[in-house]
Amino acid sequence: MENSTNADETYDRGYRPSLSSIDQNDQTSTSETPVYSTMSADSFAYHRTNSETSAFSDPIDDNSSCSEPSPSNWPVSRSEQPALGRSEMRQQKTVVDKNLDDQESMDFELELMKERFAKLLLGEDMSGSGKGVCTAVTISNAITNLYATVFGQNLRLAPLKPEKKALWKREMDCLLSVCDYIVEFVSESQNLRDGREVEVMASRPRADIYINLPALQKLDTMLMDILESFQDTEFWYAEQGSMSSNSTRSGSFRRVIVQRKEEKWWLPVPCVPPGGLSEKSRKHLRHKRDCANQIHKAAMAINSTILAEMEIPDSFMANLPKSGKACLGDFIYRYMYTTEKFSPDHLLDCLSIASEHEALELADHVEASMYTWRRKACMSHSKSSWDMVKDLMSETDRSDKNHLLAARAESLLFCLKQRYPELAQTSLDTCKIQCNQDVGQAVLESYSRVLEGLAFNIVAWVEDVLFVDRSVRNQDQ
């Protein structure tokens, strides 16, 4: 009776006894008719399956109810779930659709990344014919093309679109991840449990990557912050040639000629209110211009250092001119050789360079002459000892001359690059990038190059806005 009372209380609470609690005298009846037991908590984590060895796992439809009473007069418990309202069903459907969209987007990005990695491994030759370039050049081209994709249409002081910003971060993280495996071994001390100190070899990022890559990532973040700071501005942009009221906002539209040259017709024109910008806005523009200018100098210094560390290709040395004098011309050669106190600034002033094209052409000639004289200086010391003794005096004079001219050509090239900071890459720099096979140097060079270009563009855009503001205020006065 006591057991029966406990069973009744259990029934009232909605629980069903398991098979182990069935009376042994009722085993005959229970073996003929399956008994439905409550699943344990662990059962909800998996899908139901029909066991082939158990006699208590016949196929059961969860949605059907038993019309015949149980042989033991046990109440059949059914899981009662509250009915969902229309709003809750709509919310669940929205969540499911969002999850499906996220999964499709993730699958698409995964396939895109697989294609990018395959392109890197094949050296940009997807045909598989083996005509691709080396991995270093492929990664350098990939970073350059990514910069053109993200920032190619962003020609104004405005934040990047969220999808563009996410693309830049995701792709750059992928391309920079190869630097995690460019390491060098260094010795370090390690203490054992017994107190002894031993020296072991440990790996760390290569020195140039360890120093320059975090700095470049910091510069990248600072440039993104500068662009993000131009959200609510007093100035705006209008496409050149557009005179619609929507683009002018009843303000000045190209009432002044922008200081940049007219060949850059594709750039949007900055516009300011009739009275000009406020003092707060001008102060903000000057501050961001100074920051971008410092970032430009830092990126340019890193890029110059990496290019200087790259090996000079044999193809460039094979095509050097035989005479540095013929490459530079009589005027420059005579000034560099005969002047006791050489002044590269005075020489550049005498040349009267009119355009960047002329400056780049002069830089190519000076650089080629410099390596020509260096090669001659090295060749003069590669003779046999008897020839060096026999021609000691003449060889010494010629060696001093070549070293002197090479040193002065190097100082002239440095001064030329300082005077024209926006100068394009010389022929030697381009040859180094195309023939480079060091993946780490390729990543650092291309990353610093694109950041240098972005910083330079930001400075130019700020200068355009400030120039228009000054011109408008001068006209109003």
Side-chain angles (χ1 to χ4, degrees):
M1 293 296 294
E2 186 176 354
N3 296 334
S4 176
T5 304
N6 294 337
D8 294 339
E9 293 176 359
T10 305
Y11 301 155
D12 295 338
R13 295 174 186 172
Y15 293 95
R16 290 175 293 177
S18 61
L19 293 176
S20 59
S21 62
I22 302 175
D23 191 85
Q24 299 295 331
N25 297 330
D26 296 338
Q27 289 184 359
T28 305
S29 60
T30 57
S31 62
E32 297 176 358
T33 305
V35 178
Y36 308 98
S37 62
T38 305
M39 289 191 298
S40 63
D42 297 338
S43 304
F44 290 97
Y46 306 93
H47 295 286
R48 249 184 237 175
T49 56
N50 297 324
S51 174
E52 297 178 355
T53 57
S54 174
F56 300 97
S57 57
D58 294 337
I60 299 172
D61 188 1
D62 292 338
N63 299 325
S64 62
S65 60
C66 183
S67 58
E68 297 180 0
S70 174
S72 302
N73 296 324
W74 292 344
V76 180
S77 64
R78 298 173 60 185
S79 59
E80 298 180 358
Q81 298 181 353
L84 297 177
R86 292 184 178 180
S87 61
E88 295 178 352
M89 293 179 65
R90 259 192 240 106
Q91 292 178 358
Q92 286 190 357
K93 184 178 179 181
T94 303
V95 171
V96 172
D97 294 341
K98 183 179 180 181
N99 293 336
L100 290 176
D101 293 339
D102 293 341
Q103 185 64 31
E104 292 178 357
S105 177
M106 189 179 299
D107 293 341
F108 174 75
E109 293 178 0
L110 182 60
E111 293 298 327
L112 185 61
M113 297 304 294
K114 288 180 180 179
E115 182 180 353
R116 297 284 176 83
F117 271 111
K119 190 175 181 180
L120 291 177
L121 292 175
L122 295 175
E124 299 180 344
D125 180 21
M126 301 302 290
S127 63
S129 59
K131 297 180 180 179
V133 296
C134 64
T135 306
V137 178
T138 306
I139 293 181
S140 178
N141 294 339
I143 294 177
T144 305
N145 295 335
L146 177 62
Y147 172 78
T149 302
V150 176
F151 298 97
Q153 300 298 325
N154 190 67
L155 303 176
R156 61 192 68 193
L157 292 174
L160 280 178
K161 294 181 180 180
E163 57 271 15
K164 293 285 187 179
K165 189 175 182 180
L167 174 65
W168 173 256
K169 186 177 185 308
R170 182 177 65 251
E171 296 288 334
M172 282 305 301
D173 289 342
C174 175
L175 294 172
L176 296 178
S177 63
V178 298
C179 294
D180 298 337
Y181 304 95
I182 304 176
V183 297
E184 61 184 3
F185 289 99
V186 294
S187 61
E188 63 178 19
S189 300
Q190 184 176 1
N191 296 324
L192 300 179
R193 294 181 179 179
D194 56 1
R196 292 184 303 166
E197 183 177 347
V198 296
E199 187 174 340
V200 297
M201 299 299 293
S203 63
R204 70 175 183 185
R206 205 172 63 185
D208 56 343
I209 297 176
Y210 181 77
I211 295 174
N212 295 316
L213 185 57
L216 291 174
Q217 291 175 326
K218 180 63 176 178
L219 297 179
D220 188 355
T221 304
M222 294 172 65
L223 289 175
M224 294 298 111
D225 293 340
I226 291 177
L227 291 178
E228 289 294 330
S229 65
F230 294 101
Q231 292 187 2
D232 299 325
T233 58
E234 298 179 4
F235 59 90
W236 66 96
Y237 287 89
E239 299 298 331
Q240 184 172 359
S242 174
M243 297 297 294
S244 62
S245 58
N246 293 332
S247 62
T248 59
R249 287 200 217 168
S250 299
S252 64
F253 176 76
R254 206 165 180 80
R255 293 193 298 174
V256 295
I257 300 176
V258 184
Q259 62 180 351
R260 61 169 176 262
K261 296 182 179 180
E262 290 300 325
E263 63 264 15
K264 298 182 180 180
W265 54 267
W266 62 88
L267 294 178
V269 180
C271 303
V272 297
L277 299 175
S278 63
E279 185 61 30
K280 181 180 178 181
S281 181
R282 284 195 295 270
K283 184 177 180 180
H284 177 261
L285 284 169
R286 295 191 190 101
H287 175 66
K288 296 305 178 182
R289 178 195 59 189
D290 296 339
C291 292
N293 192 23
Q294 294 299 321
I295 295 173
H296 175 260
K297 291 180 179 179
M300 185 170 59
I302 294 176
N303 185 264
S304 300
T305 303
I306 299 302
L307 285 173
E309 293 176 353
M310 288 184 180
E311 296 182 359
I312 301 177
D314 296 335
S315 59
F316 177 81
M317 297 299 295
N319 295 325
L320 284 177
K322 295 181 179 181
S323 173
K325 177 181 178 180
C327 183
L328 283 178
D330 292 336
F331 175 75
I332 299 178
Y333 175 81
R334 191 181 304 112
Y335 183 83
M336 292 177 61
Y337 182 59
T338 59
T339 306
E340 294 183 0
K341 294 183 179 180
F342 175 70
S343 175
D345 290 322
H346 178 68
L347 178 58
L348 291 178
D349 293 337
C350 295
L351 294 177
S352 301
I353 302 175
S355 63
E356 294 180 8
H357 178 72
E358 293 181 3
L360 181 60
E361 186 178 2
L362 177 61
D364 287 335
H365 291 322
V366 172
E367 198 167 41
S369 301
M370 178 181 66
Y371 282 100
T372 299
W373 288 321
R374 284 182 179 179
R375 183 174 62 178
K376 287 184 177 181
C378 294
M379 291 174 60
S380 64
H381 293 286
S382 62
K383 293 185 178 182
S384 63
S385 58
W386 174 249
D387 292 335
M388 292 180 63
V389 171
K390 186 174 60 176
D391 301 328
L392 179 61
M393 296 303 296
S394 60
E395 290 295 326
T396 303
D397 294 339
R398 190 170 61 179
S399 176
D400 290 343
K401 172 185 174 181
N402 290 326
H403 277 294
L404 176 65
L405 290 173
R408 292 185 174 182
E410 184 177 6
S411 62
L412 178 61
L413 181 63
F414 178 78
C415 184
L416 183 63
K417 290 184 177 180
Q418 289 292 324
R419 182 171 293 194
Y420 300 93
E422 69 279 1
L423 198 65
Q425 292 175 336
T426 61
S427 301
L428 176 59
D429 295 339
T430 305
C431 188
K432 283 183 176 181
I433 295 173
Q434 294 176 352
C435 300
N436 176 47
Q437 295 185 354
D438 190 305
V439 176
Q441 289 181 343
V443 171
L444 296 176
E445 190 282 325
S446 56
Y447 196 14
S448 60
R449 174 161 38 88
V450 297
L451 293 182
E452 177 186 346
L454 178 59
F456 179 80
N457 288 338
I458 291 177
V459 173
W461 298 336
V462 174
E463 289 289 350
D464 283 347
V465 177
L466 292 176
F467 179 80
V468 172
D469 175 64
R470 286 193 303 267
S471 302
V472 169
R473 286 187 288 110
N474 292 334
Q475 286 184 0
D476 293 338
Q477 293 177 356

